[in-house]
Amino acid sequence: MCLAVPALLVECDGEEAVADLHGNRVPISTALVPDASKGDWVLVHAGFAIQKLTENDAREAWDILKDLQRRSETS
Amino acid sequence: MMISLHEQARYWIDRLHAAAAKLSRPVQFMEVCGTHTVSAFRCGLHSVIPENVKLLSGPGCPVCVTSQGQIDQLIALASQESLTLCTYGDMLRVTGSDGSSLEKARSRGASVKVIYSAMDAVKCAQATPGRQVVFIAVGFETTTPATAVAIQAAHRLGLKNFSAFISHKLVLPAMRALLRSDDVRIDGFLAPGHVSVIIGAEAYRRIVKRYQKPCVVVGFEDVQMAQGLALLTEMVNESRMEIVNLYPQAVSARGNPRARQLMDDTFQVRPVSWRGLGLLPHSGLALRDRFKAFDACERFGIEAIDVPEPAGCRCGDVITGRCSPAQCALFGHVCTPVNPIGPCMVSSEGTCGAWFKYARGRALPQEVFA
Amino acid sequence: MIRTLNPSAVPHKWDQITLAHGGGGLLTDSLIQQTILPRLGNSALNELLDSAQLTVGDARLAMTIDSYVVQPLFFPGGDIGRLCVSGTVNDLAVSGAKPLGIALSFILGEGLSRSTFDRVLESIQQTAREANVRIVTGDTKVIGHGTEETIFITTAGVGIVQYAQPLHPDRIEPGDVILINGYLADHGLSVMLARELPQVKSVIRSDVAPLNGLVDVILASTNDVVFMRDPTRGGVAGVVADLAQRTNLHITLQEDAIPVRSETLHAADMLGLDPLEVANEGKVIFVVRPHAAASTLEAMKSHPLGKDAAIIGVVEKKPDGLCEIRTSIGGRRILQKPYGEQLPRIC
């Protein structure tokens, strides 16, 4: 029930911020992520940043790699 | 070595098929998020998963779980003089008991404004001090914090012409009610990714433990949903009832503490009526006394009313996984996106709307497993 | 059991016009079918093509009309002036017709500033020059004061059909290939953002442009163009779903082949919109015979308005009247004509 998209915070002034969405600049509120600052990636939903994003997508890729490797070794 | 998203998706679908081949009986998993319903259809997920694995849509569309009575009240409110109703686009076409809607009310001259952010409603009130502005606050935990911020902003600004029609609901009580119900079998959940951003992956711990069902937190990319189904199926095979978080970039164990604090400061929990599930205790929200002045129902004297569902409408059964849209006699005949009878059919966010729009005429599983 | 459910099978009940009736989708169809055709219908009108085909002696003429009520008047990439000339030129072009002239009528709102009107006129002048077309006759009316600067423009165009082959959906056959000349959804998103979310500084620019130059190049390069349509209101979904239904054939589009800019896709995601349902004003959908597909694509790419052209789908033999998309994960979903109004959603 939640359309939210990742965006980069390019301006931050108190709770008012501007997020960059592939070139589109969207004014948003950071009231829900008070420790977010310029340069952070955030998840934007209905005009609010609802979370700071962390880099954590390596894991699935590694799992698949290992599995594929294992399959090719046993075949 | 970069693996393309395409290869990743295929990998997980293959893994799902391999796991499904080992199942001792067919399984049904449920997602409880309108955006998952739409995303699954948009990427054609239903058409690539094995026959013995079903993905059910649950009560994940906040509009669909809003009671008929509340919808009628909102439409009536819209027609009041010197009042502007601010709403997210999702609510605009929902049908009232008399066939009306906010969209039709607008065409008759009612002031209905579609907004993108809850703060737009506050700004609207500031800009039009001579008018009452009512914000329709629907949504689950992803959207509720935004309302909390808006209410508190209105409070700080001392706005006299702003109020909110609070219709926020909580996802976990609905999940529990579904698991307790005898007439739908759920073997695991794809947990809503963005609700989980707020409440945290650990929020599902008690459900997993108590009802012994696996739960995977996924985002809305096709790869994530395919992976989610594969892992759920593997966990069923191995009788491993766990929570797996496939969206760690956005979902932490504890969620967003600031958002939850704001929600807690602004709202208290109360029992509310869910279409298809009846009255669930601790499943809805109301403004705390401090902010009661901003409650639209108090301000305009709106009392809760009980209005029957439209005759023949099975929205309640559809959104609780008791039947598929195709099993509703009205589906596609009397009830279509152009002439929606129930809220599930309104545009493509509801289960019926999604089935109709994305799967019309296809040989889809017509029944759910008993 | 396969049930084919046609959204138009149940007549839409309405007694008042809503904004969605003007959206170019299912509701506009319903308006036309229920109220207009029963009273005004005839063999020419009932075809409901981009231009009406009329014959005068040996000559085939195309005639079209459109109104423009866009707000805001000026948006990134264009304005109502550029839009009104391009729209009518394009409706003639996709009918295989070379424009003879445009008739243009203004309805101006009282209080409109002279400078705004001048800007619009300059844009009309420039676009007409670009399209090598003349405004040959016109009219101007003024209506009472509104709340914002108001200009409504109606343009009608007449052209001579020069393409030897008839361009008509009835000629579409299994095997025919679907092409588009570039990126989708830029116009609709640019206008919607400018109107609904002016606080968003968007990099998306409308693609509004007269396409007769591009179409001329394609029609000169092959005899195998079967049909063309510009995906304006209702988007690509509107056109292709319509064609599938009309021909009772099955059309399959490849999701990965459909060109959408990333900034457009992400803005659409943010608002809960489907780029396939969003209006374009500088795009043409071509349906060509299979052996001409590769050379048509080449010819398009050699033109500035076609450099991002792509083959996006194919017509198939199944007689079910449906348009389907093959998704990135190899799945399938139906593509249907949109309801009519695009609204930002949270879900």
Side-chain angles (χ1 to χ4, degrees), chain B residues 329-369:
Chain B
L330 305 183
F331 178 77
H333 300 300
V334 178
C335 185
T336 65
V338 162
N339 274 321
I341 303 289
C344 301
M345 183 58 90
V346 172
S347 75
S348 54
E349 289 82 57
T351 307
C352 297
W355 271 60
F356 192 99
K357 179 171 174 172
Y358 296 113
R360 178 164 57 98
R362 303 306 309 166
L364 267 194
Q366 302 285 298
E367 289 99 33
V368 294
F369 298 125

mmCIF file of all heavy atoms in Angstrom, chain B residues 329-369:
data_model
loop_
_atom_site.group_PDB
_atom_site.id
_atom_site.type_symbol
_atom_site.label_atom_id
_atom_site.label_comp_id
_atom_site.label_asym_id
_atom_site.label_seq_id
_atom_site.Cartn_x
_atom_site.Cartn_y
_atom_site.Cartn_z
ATOM 1 N N ALA B 329 -19.849 -13.366 -8.439
ATOM 2 C CA ALA B 329 -20.774 -13.377 -9.571
ATOM 3 C C ALA B 329 -20.844 -12.034 -10.286
ATOM 4 O O ALA B 329 -21.184 -11.957 -11.463
ATOM 5 C CB ALA B 329 -22.164 -13.788 -9.100
ATOM 6 N N LEU B 330 -20.508 -10.964 -9.564
ATOM 7 C CA LEU B 330 -20.608 -9.646 -10.191
ATOM 8 C C LEU B 330 -19.390 -9.305 -11.034
ATOM 9 O O LEU B 330 -19.435 -8.446 -11.900
ATOM 10 C CB LEU B 330 -20.765 -8.550 -9.128
ATOM 11 C CG LEU B 330 -21.913 -8.698 -8.137
ATOM 12 C CD1 LEU B 330 -21.944 -7.488 -7.217
ATOM 13 C CD2 LEU B 330 -23.238 -8.845 -8.853
ATOM 14 N N PHE B 331 -18.276 -10.023 -10.784
ATOM 15 C CA PHE B 331 -16.988 -9.671 -11.381
ATOM 16 C C PHE B 331 -17.042 -9.702 -12.900
ATOM 17 O O PHE B 331 -17.366 -10.727 -13.510
ATOM 18 C CB PHE B 331 -15.911 -10.632 -10.874
ATOM 19 C CG PHE B 331 -14.546 -10.381 -11.460
ATOM 20 C CD1 PHE B 331 -13.770 -9.330 -11.008
ATOM 21 C CD2 PHE B 331 -14.021 -11.206 -12.449
ATOM 22 C CE1 PHE B 331 -12.499 -9.089 -11.532
ATOM 23 C CE2 PHE B 331 -12.764 -10.979 -12.976
ATOM 24 C CZ PHE B 331 -12.000 -9.936 -12.517
ATOM 25 N N GLY B 332 -16.746 -8.587 -13.508
ATOM 26 C CA GLY B 332 -16.642 -8.546 -14.957
ATOM 27 C C GLY B 332 -17.980 -8.458 -15.663
ATOM 28 O O GLY B 332 -18.026 -8.208 -16.871
ATOM 29 N N HIS B 333 -19.045 -8.695 -14.947
ATOM 30 C CA HIS B 333 -20.355 -8.572 -15.580
ATOM 31 C C HIS B 333 -20.992 -7.260 -15.170
ATOM 32 O O HIS B 333 -21.055 -6.305 -15.924
ATOM 33 C CB HIS B 333 -21.263 -9.754 -15.196
ATOM 34 C CG HIS B 333 -20.690 -11.062 -15.607
ATOM 35 N ND1 HIS B 333 -20.415 -11.374 -16.920
ATOM 36 C CD2 HIS B 333 -20.293 -12.127 -14.900
ATOM 37 C CE1 HIS B 333 -19.885 -12.577 -16.985
ATOM 38 N NE2 HIS B 333 -19.799 -13.053 -15.775
ATOM 39 N N VAL B 334 -21.431 -7.215 -13.935
ATOM 40 C CA VAL B 334 -22.035 -5.989 -13.428
ATOM 41 C C VAL B 334 -20.964 -5.053 -12.874
ATOM 42 O O VAL B 334 -21.086 -3.838 -12.916
ATOM 43 C CB VAL B 334 -23.054 -6.352 -12.315
ATOM 44 C CG1 VAL B 334 -23.669 -5.113 -11.725
ATOM 45 C CG2 VAL B 334 -24.122 -7.258 -12.889
ATOM 46 N N CYS B 335 -19.927 -5.635 -12.330
ATOM 47 C CA CYS B 335 -18.881 -4.867 -11.654
ATOM 48 C C CYS B 335 -17.623 -4.841 -12.509
ATOM 49 O O CYS B 335 -16.976 -5.859 -12.714
ATOM 50 C CB CYS B 335 -18.573 -5.506 -10.289
ATOM 51 S SG CYS B 335 -17.403 -4.548 -9.311
ATOM 52 N N THR B 336 -17.312 -3.688 -13.055
ATOM 53 C CA THR B 336 -16.122 -3.534 -13.884
ATOM 54 C C THR B 336 -15.434 -2.238 -13.449
ATOM 55 O O THR B 336 -16.022 -1.452 -12.725
ATOM 56 C CB THR B 336 -16.497 -3.395 -15.373
ATOM 57 O OG1 THR B 336 -17.225 -2.173 -15.541
ATOM 58 C CG2 THR B 336 -17.341 -4.553 -15.858
ATOM 59 N N PRO B 337 -14.206 -2.020 -13.886
ATOM 60 C CA PRO B 337 -13.541 -0.772 -13.487
ATOM 61 C C PRO B 337 -14.317 0.476 -13.904
ATOM 62 O O PRO B 337 -14.227 1.504 -13.266
ATOM 63 C CB PRO B 337 -12.200 -0.831 -14.222
ATOM 64 C CG PRO B 337 -11.959 -2.273 -14.461
ATOM 65 C CD PRO B 337 -13.304 -2.899 -14.673
ATOM 66 N N VAL B 338 -15.068 0.352 -14.966
ATOM 67 C CA VAL B 338 -15.831 1.499 -15.444
ATOM 68 C C VAL B 338 -17.096 1.697 -14.599
ATOM 69 O O VAL B 338 -17.526 2.821 -14.361
ATOM 70 C CB VAL B 338 -16.149 1.302 -16.945
ATOM 71 C CG1 VAL B 338 -17.259 2.196 -17.407
ATOM 72 C CG2 VAL B 338 -14.915 1.583 -17.771
ATOM 73 N N ASN B 339 -17.680 0.609 -14.137
ATOM 74 C CA ASN B 339 -18.848 0.653 -13.250
ATOM 75 C C ASN B 339 -18.538 -0.142 -11.989
ATOM 76 O O ASN B 339 -19.043 -1.245 -11.819
ATOM 77 C CB ASN B 339 -20.057 -0.034 -13.915
ATOM 78 C CG ASN B 339 -20.840 0.894 -14.797
ATOM 79 O OD1 ASN B 339 -21.037 2.054 -14.465
ATOM 80 N ND2 ASN B 339 -21.283 0.375 -15.917
ATOM 81 N N PRO B 340 -17.675 0.364 -11.115
ATOM 82 C CA PRO B 340 -17.318 -0.454 -9.957
ATOM 83 C C PRO B 340 -18.464 -0.509 -8.951
ATOM 84 O O PRO B 340 -19.100 0.505 -8.686
ATOM 85 C CB PRO B 340 -16.111 0.288 -9.358
ATOM 86 C CG PRO B 340 -16.227 1.693 -9.833
ATOM 87 C CD PRO B 340 -17.007 1.674 -11.109
ATOM 88 N N ILE B 341 -18.723 -1.702 -8.434
ATOM 89 C CA ILE B 341 -19.743 -1.841 -7.394
ATOM 90 C C ILE B 341 -19.072 -1.720 -6.027
ATOM 91 O O ILE B 341 -19.513 -0.986 -5.157
ATOM 92 C CB ILE B 341 -20.468 -3.214 -7.499
ATOM 93 C CG1 ILE B 341 -21.089 -3.380 -8.884
ATOM 94 C CG2 ILE B 341 -21.500 -3.362 -6.399
ATOM 95 C CD1 ILE B 341 -22.278 -2.514 -9.156
ATOM 96 N N GLY B 342 -17.999 -2.483 -5.840
ATOM 97 C CA GLY B 342 -17.286 -2.435 -4.573
ATOM 98 C C GLY B 342 -15.928 -1.771 -4.741
ATOM 99 O O GLY B 342 -15.446 -1.615 -5.853
ATOM 100 N N PRO B 343 -15.283 -1.396 -3.624
ATOM 101 C CA PRO B 343 -14.010 -0.669 -3.705
ATOM 102 C C PRO B 343 -12.878 -1.490 -4.292
ATOM 103 O O PRO B 343 -11.923 -0.924 -4.812
ATOM 104 C CB PRO B 343 -13.720 -0.298 -2.250
ATOM 105 C CG PRO B 343 -14.479 -1.263 -1.438
ATOM 106 C CD PRO B 343 -15.704 -1.607 -2.222
ATOM 107 N N CYS B 344 -12.972 -2.832 -4.229
ATOM 108 C CA CYS B 344 -11.885 -3.658 -4.768
ATOM 109 C C CYS B 344 -11.718 -3.508 -6.271
ATOM 110 O O CYS B 344 -10.701 -3.887 -6.830
ATOM 111 C CB CYS B 344 -12.145 -5.135 -4.483
ATOM 112 S SG CYS B 344 -12.277 -5.468 -2.748
ATOM 113 N N MET B 345 -12.734 -3.007 -6.901
ATOM 114 C CA MET B 345 -12.707 -2.889 -8.355
ATOM 115 C C MET B 345 -12.291 -1.483 -8.801
ATOM 116 O O MET B 345 -11.966 -1.261 -9.960
ATOM 117 C CB MET B 345 -14.092 -3.227 -8.918
ATOM 118 C CG MET B 345 -14.179 -3.210 -10.428
ATOM 119 S SD MET B 345 -13.042 -4.340 -11.251
ATOM 120 C CE MET B 345 -14.049 -5.820 -11.358
ATOM 121 N N VAL B 346 -12.267 -0.572 -7.869
ATOM 122 C CA VAL B 346 -11.971 0.814 -8.250
ATOM 123 C C VAL B 346 -10.540 0.920 -8.752
ATOM 124 O O VAL B 346 -9.603 0.580 -8.066
ATOM 125 C CB VAL B 346 -12.157 1.751 -7.035
ATOM 126 C CG1 VAL B 346 -11.666 3.142 -7.356
ATOM 127 C CG2 VAL B 346 -13.607 1.794 -6.635
ATOM 128 N N SER B 347 -10.370 1.385 -9.918
ATOM 129 C CA SER B 347 -9.087 1.434 -10.610
ATOM 130 C C SER B 347 -8.303 0.147 -10.393
ATOM 131 O O SER B 347 -8.883 -0.906 -10.216
ATOM 132 C CB SER B 347 -8.301 2.679 -10.269
ATOM 133 O OG SER B 347 -7.746 2.600 -8.981
ATOM 134 N N SER B 348 -7.004 0.200 -10.409
ATOM 135 C CA SER B 348 -6.267 -1.063 -10.421
ATOM 136 C C SER B 348 -5.596 -1.389 -9.101
ATOM 137 O O SER B 348 -4.832 -2.325 -9.022
ATOM 138 C CB SER B 348 -5.218 -1.024 -11.520
ATOM 139 O OG SER B 348 -4.409 0.123 -11.347
ATOM 140 N N GLU B 349 -5.876 -0.661 -8.049
ATOM 141 C CA GLU B 349 -5.200 -0.935 -6.773
ATOM 142 C C GLU B 349 -5.872 -2.052 -5.997
ATOM 143 O O GLU B 349 -5.230 -2.793 -5.275
ATOM 144 C CB GLU B 349 -5.159 0.326 -5.895
ATOM 145 C CG GLU B 349 -4.214 1.383 -6.422
ATOM 146 C CD GLU B 349 -4.842 2.216 -7.514
ATOM 147 O OE1 GLU B 349 -5.899 2.811 -7.279
ATOM 148 O OE2 GLU B 349 -4.272 2.260 -8.617
ATOM 149 N N GLY B 350 -7.169 -2.163 -6.116
ATOM 150 C CA GLY B 350 -7.865 -3.238 -5.415
ATOM 151 C C GLY B 350 -7.628 -4.559 -6.128
ATOM 152 O O GLY B 350 -7.304 -4.599 -7.305
ATOM 153 N N THR B 351 -7.834 -5.651 -5.401
ATOM 154 C CA THR B 351 -7.577 -6.975 -5.968
ATOM 155 C C THR B 351 -8.397 -7.214 -7.232
ATOM 156 O O THR B 351 -7.873 -7.684 -8.244
ATOM 157 C CB THR B 351 -7.905 -8.062 -4.925
ATOM 158 O OG1 THR B 351 -7.192 -7.757 -3.729
ATOM 159 C CG2 THR B 351 -7.506 -9.425 -5.432
ATOM 160 N N CYS B 352 -9.685 -6.897 -7.168
ATOM 161 C CA CYS B 352 -10.540 -7.135 -8.332
ATOM 162 C C CYS B 352 -10.126 -6.259 -9.506
ATOM 163 O O CYS B 352 -10.087 -6.707 -10.647
ATOM 164 C CB CYS B 352 -12.008 -6.881 -8.001
ATOM 165 S SG CYS B 352 -12.631 -7.993 -6.752
ATOM 166 N N GLY B 353 -9.802 -5.028 -9.196
ATOM 167 C CA GLY B 353 -9.361 -4.116 -10.253
ATOM 168 C C GLY B 353 -8.099 -4.615 -10.910
ATOM 169 O O GLY B 353 -7.951 -4.573 -12.135
ATOM 170 N N ALA B 354 -7.171 -5.117 -10.094
ATOM 171 C CA ALA B 354 -5.909 -5.620 -10.635
ATOM 172 C C ALA B 354 -6.137 -6.870 -11.477
ATOM 173 O O ALA B 354 -5.594 -6.995 -12.574
ATOM 174 C CB ALA B 354 -4.924 -5.911 -9.505
ATOM 175 N N TRP B 355 -6.942 -7.800 -10.955
ATOM 176 C CA TRP B 355 -7.235 -9.016 -11.726
ATOM 177 C C TRP B 355 -7.862 -8.642 -13.060
ATOM 178 O O TRP B 355 -7.553 -9.203 -14.106
ATOM 179 C CB TRP B 355 -8.237 -9.888 -10.958
ATOM 180 C CG TRP B 355 -7.615 -10.856 -10.035
ATOM 181 C CD1 TRP B 355 -6.811 -10.574 -8.987
ATOM 182 C CD2 TRP B 355 -7.762 -12.276 -10.057
ATOM 183 N NE1 TRP B 355 -6.435 -11.732 -8.351
ATOM 184 C CE2 TRP B 355 -7.009 -12.789 -8.980
ATOM 185 C CE3 TRP B 355 -8.465 -13.151 -10.875
ATOM 186 C CZ2 TRP B 355 -6.940 -14.151 -8.705
ATOM 187 C CZ3 TRP B 355 -8.389 -14.500 -10.593
ATOM 188 C CH2 TRP B 355 -7.633 -14.993 -9.520
ATOM 189 N N PHE B 356 -8.818 -7.728 -13.000
ATOM 190 C CA PHE B 356 -9.519 -7.369 -14.224
ATOM 191 C C PHE B 356 -8.575 -6.700 -15.204
ATOM 192 O O PHE B 356 -8.494 -7.059 -16.377
ATOM 193 C CB PHE B 356 -10.690 -6.429 -13.908
ATOM 194 C CG PHE B 356 -11.626 -6.245 -15.059
ATOM 195 C CD1 PHE B 356 -12.808 -6.957 -15.121
ATOM 196 C CD2 PHE B 356 -11.312 -5.390 -16.103
ATOM 197 C CE1 PHE B 356 -13.673 -6.812 -16.200
ATOM 198 C CE2 PHE B 356 -12.161 -5.240 -17.182
ATOM 199 C CZ PHE B 356 -13.345 -5.957 -17.227
ATOM 200 N N LYS B 357 -7.832 -5.735 -14.725
ATOM 201 C CA LYS B 357 -7.013 -4.937 -15.636
ATOM 202 C C LYS B 357 -5.873 -5.755 -16.223
ATOM 203 O O LYS B 357 -5.565 -5.640 -17.393
ATOM 204 C CB LYS B 357 -6.465 -3.737 -14.867
ATOM 205 C CG LYS B 357 -5.578 -2.873 -15.720
ATOM 206 C CD LYS B 357 -5.224 -1.581 -15.024
ATOM 207 C CE LYS B 357 -4.223 -0.837 -15.891
ATOM 208 N NZ LYS B 357 -3.945 0.492 -15.423
ATOM 209 N N TYR B 358 -5.215 -6.553 -15.388
ATOM 210 C CA TYR B 358 -3.982 -7.183 -15.850
ATOM 211 C C TYR B 358 -4.149 -8.625 -16.301
ATOM 212 O O TYR B 358 -3.244 -9.181 -16.913
ATOM 213 C CB TYR B 358 -2.930 -7.147 -14.744
ATOM 214 C CG TYR B 358 -2.518 -5.752 -14.382
ATOM 215 C CD1 TYR B 358 -2.810 -5.210 -13.136
ATOM 216 C CD2 TYR B 358 -1.834 -4.954 -15.295
ATOM 217 C CE1 TYR B 358 -2.434 -3.926 -12.806
ATOM 218 C CE2 TYR B 358 -1.457 -3.662 -14.976
ATOM 219 C CZ TYR B 358 -1.759 -3.161 -13.726
ATOM 220 O OH TYR B 358 -1.385 -1.895 -13.403
ATOM 221 N N ALA B 359 -5.301 -9.227 -15.967
ATOM 222 C CA ALA B 359 -5.403 -10.653 -16.249
ATOM 223 C C ALA B 359 -6.687 -11.010 -16.971
ATOM 224 O O ALA B 359 -6.977 -12.174 -17.181
ATOM 225 C CB ALA B 359 -5.318 -11.451 -14.946
ATOM 226 N N ARG B 360 -7.408 -10.048 -17.392
ATOM 227 C CA ARG B 360 -8.690 -10.261 -18.047
ATOM 228 C C ARG B 360 -8.591 -11.275 -19.164
ATOM 229 O O ARG B 360 -7.768 -11.151 -20.059
ATOM 230 C CB ARG B 360 -9.161 -8.916 -18.603
ATOM 231 C CG ARG B 360 -10.438 -8.919 -19.345
ATOM 232 C CD ARG B 360 -10.925 -7.481 -19.463
ATOM 233 N NE ARG B 360 -9.953 -6.638 -20.102
ATOM 234 C CZ ARG B 360 -9.991 -6.313 -21.387
ATOM 235 N NH1 ARG B 360 -10.922 -6.799 -22.150
ATOM 236 N NH2 ARG B 360 -9.076 -5.522 -21.900
ATOM 237 N N GLY B 361 -9.489 -12.274 -19.141
ATOM 238 C CA GLY B 361 -9.523 -13.206 -20.246
ATOM 239 C C GLY B 361 -8.451 -14.267 -20.222
ATOM 240 O O GLY B 361 -8.455 -15.162 -21.041
ATOM 241 N N ARG B 362 -7.522 -14.172 -19.276
ATOM 242 C CA ARG B 362 -6.487 -15.189 -19.244
ATOM 243 C C ARG B 362 -6.966 -16.378 -18.444
ATOM 244 O O ARG B 362 -7.797 -16.258 -17.565
ATOM 245 C CB ARG B 362 -5.218 -14.638 -18.579
ATOM 246 C CG ARG B 362 -4.673 -13.414 -19.236
ATOM 247 C CD ARG B 362 -4.427 -13.573 -20.698
ATOM 248 N NE ARG B 362 -3.634 -14.749 -20.987
ATOM 249 C CZ ARG B 362 -3.500 -15.263 -22.203
ATOM 250 N NH1 ARG B 362 -4.110 -14.708 -23.212
ATOM 251 N NH2 ARG B 362 -2.756 -16.321 -22.389
ATOM 252 N N ALA B 363 -6.364 -17.550 -18.704
ATOM 253 C CA ALA B 363 -6.702 -18.722 -17.908
ATOM 254 C C ALA B 363 -5.965 -18.619 -16.586
ATOM 255 O O ALA B 363 -4.902 -19.179 -16.402
ATOM 256 C CB ALA B 363 -6.282 -19.983 -18.659
ATOM 257 N N LEU B 364 -6.542 -17.869 -15.670
ATOM 258 C CA LEU B 364 -5.924 -17.710 -14.359
ATOM 259 C C LEU B 364 -6.518 -18.728 -13.415
ATOM 260 O O LEU B 364 -7.646 -19.167 -13.636
ATOM 261 C CB LEU B 364 -6.252 -16.323 -13.800
ATOM 262 C CG LEU B 364 -5.261 -15.214 -14.066
ATOM 263 C CD1 LEU B 364 -5.579 -14.058 -13.165
ATOM 264 C CD2 LEU B 364 -3.828 -15.659 -13.820
ATOM 265 N N PRO B 365 -5.827 -19.065 -12.347
ATOM 266 C CA PRO B 365 -6.463 -19.927 -11.351
ATOM 267 C C PRO B 365 -7.781 -19.287 -10.927
ATOM 268 O O PRO B 365 -7.795 -18.164 -10.460
ATOM 269 C CB PRO B 365 -5.479 -19.928 -10.182
ATOM 270 C CG PRO B 365 -4.203 -19.435 -10.717
ATOM 271 C CD PRO B 365 -4.491 -18.655 -11.964
ATOM 272 N N GLN B 366 -8.855 -19.990 -11.154
ATOM 273 C CA GLN B 366 -10.147 -19.372 -10.885
ATOM 274 C C GLN B 366 -10.606 -19.572 -9.455
ATOM 275 O O GLN B 366 -11.454 -18.884 -8.963
ATOM 276 C CB GLN B 366 -11.208 -19.953 -11.850
ATOM 277 C CG GLN B 366 -10.856 -19.759 -13.311
ATOM 278 C CD GLN B 366 -11.080 -18.329 -13.761
ATOM 279 O OE1 GLN B 366 -12.187 -17.826 -13.740
ATOM 280 N NE2 GLN B 366 -10.021 -17.660 -14.174
ATOM 281 N N GLU B 367 -10.048 -20.587 -8.819
ATOM 282 C CA GLU B 367 -10.451 -20.842 -7.441
ATOM 283 C C GLU B 367 -9.251 -20.756 -6.516
ATOM 284 O O GLU B 367 -8.124 -20.924 -6.945
ATOM 285 C CB GLU B 367 -11.032 -22.262 -7.304
ATOM 286 C CG GLU B 367 -12.384 -22.458 -7.942
ATOM 287 C CD GLU B 367 -12.227 -23.102 -9.313
ATOM 288 O OE1 GLU B 367 -11.296 -23.896 -9.492
ATOM 289 O OE2 GLU B 367 -13.042 -22.800 -10.198
ATOM 290 N N VAL B 368 -9.536 -20.536 -5.259
ATOM 291 C CA VAL B 368 -8.467 -20.655 -4.268
ATOM 292 C C VAL B 368 -8.550 -22.050 -3.675
ATOM 293 O O VAL B 368 -9.607 -22.674 -3.682
ATOM 294 C CB VAL B 368 -8.607 -19.606 -3.145
ATOM 295 C CG1 VAL B 368 -8.407 -18.209 -3.695
ATOM 296 C CG2 VAL B 368 -9.947 -19.693 -2.455
ATOM 297 N N PHE B 369 -7.444 -22.547 -3.176
ATOM 298 C CA PHE B 369 -7.445 -23.865 -2.568
ATOM 299 C C PHE B 369 -8.201 -23.816 -1.251
ATOM 300 O O PHE B 369 -8.042 -22.903 -0.479
ATOM 301 C CB PHE B 369 -6.012 -24.323 -2.272
ATOM 302 C CG PHE B 369 -5.168 -24.458 -3.489
ATOM 303 C CD1 PHE B 369 -3.963 -23.773 -3.581
ATOM 304 C CD2 PHE B 369 -5.555 -25.250 -4.555
ATOM 305 C CE1 PHE B 369 -3.159 -23.890 -4.702
ATOM 306 C CE2 PHE B 369 -4.761 -25.365 -5.692
ATOM 307 C CZ PHE B 369 -3.560 -24.684 -5.762
#
